[in-house]
Amino acid sequence: INSDGLASLQRVPQLRRNHQYWLAQLLRDLSKSSVSSVQLAERKIGDEELILITDVLEESSPIIRTFWLSGECLSPRSLVPFFQRAMGESSKIVRLYLKNTKYGDDVARVLSSSLRHNTSLEVLSLMDSSLSAKGASAIAEGLVDNSTLRRLNLDRNQIGDVGLSVLGQVIPKSA
């Protein structure tokens, strides 16, 4: 069993608790489009929860005004599908706040592709998400064709002067 599988197995008790206390209700509400804000930044959420949420977001495409997510227990196993399937062309998420991820540059490449086709995202915050100049460059590539993003927050990342310069070249075009 690899490290991802081991991490998933270790989280089974937490997943059960989450499902019992809040996740099942959230999934029902999302599928009925009866929720407009998702606050998961303070929840103990892992890959399994985000994959379940991604499935519902892709199927029902509810309008989500604000989506808060903390990535301490998240990996590319859930973040990549989330950006590919829930943040793509049919996405109706207006503001996404993601913080504390360890896979910034890897995930930024996938996010870049989603940003090209996304027509709803207005605010993107990737605070403390392990982004370097490579990740900032990937996001900049996605913003070239994006006309909806109005605010980008990359606080507490290490994008440096190179990343800032690349972003500075495309942000005036998309704002």
Side-chain angles (χ1 to χ4, degrees):
I1 189 166
N2 66 20
S3 60
D4 287 340
L6 184 59
S8 290
L9 284 174
Q10 290 173 337
R11 287 205 70 263
V12 167
Q14 183 66 51
L15 175 62
R16 285 185 179 153
R17 280 191 297 276
N18 289 347
H19 196 273
Q20 180 181 1
Y21 290 108
W22 61 267
L23 182 60
Q25 184 64 46
L26 175 62
L27 295 173
R28 278 192 297 275
D29 289 348
L30 286 171
S31 68
K32 295 178 192 174
S33 297
S34 62
V35 63
S36 64
S37 180
V38 178
Q39 170 53 281
L40 300 174
E42 303 302 320
R43 302 260 186 200
K44 292 181 180 177
I45 180 173
D47 287 333
E48 293 73 22
E49 290 93 338
L50 186 57
I51 289 169
L52 291 169
I53 292 167
T54 298
D55 290 343
V56 172
L57 288 173
E58 182 181 36
E59 289 171 13
S60 59
S61 292
I63 296 172
I64 305 294
R65 296 281 173 215
T66 306
F67 195 103
W68 289 87
L69 188 60
S70 181
E72 291 177 2
C73 296
L74 300 175
S75 75
R77 189 168 74 84
S78 64
L79 290 168
V80 167
F82 175 75
F83 287 126
Q84 287 174 333
R85 297 173 28 220
M87 294 299 302
E89 194 170 349
S90 63
S91 172
K92 294 182 181 149
I93 296 175
V94 179
R95 291 181 292 273
L96 175 64
Y97 299 91
L98 176 63
K99 66 179 182 176
N100 299 330
T101 60
K102 298 180 268 186
Y103 306 97
D105 290 343
D106 297 333
V107 173
R109 285 190 289 277
V110 177
L111 176 57
S112 172
S113 177
S114 296
L115 285 173
R116 284 187 187 106
H117 307 289
N118 187 292
T119 58
S120 63
L121 192 65
E122 294 177 10
V123 176
L124 176 62
S125 177
L126 300 172
M127 283 183 49
D128 199 15
S129 292
S130 303
L131 287 171
S132 71
K134 285 183 184 179
S137 295
I139 290 171
E141 288 175 23
L143 291 175
V144 169
D145 296 322
N146 183 296
S147 62
T148 60
L149 194 71
R150 301 286 177 246
R151 185 177 300 156
L152 177 64
N153 180 358
L154 300 177
D155 286 352
R156 292 189 244 155
N157 286 290
Q158 303 298 318
I159 65 171
D161 293 340
V162 172
L164 185 61
S165 174
V166 172
L167 284 166
Q169 292 173 18
V170 298
I171 288 178
K173 295 176 187 173
S174 62

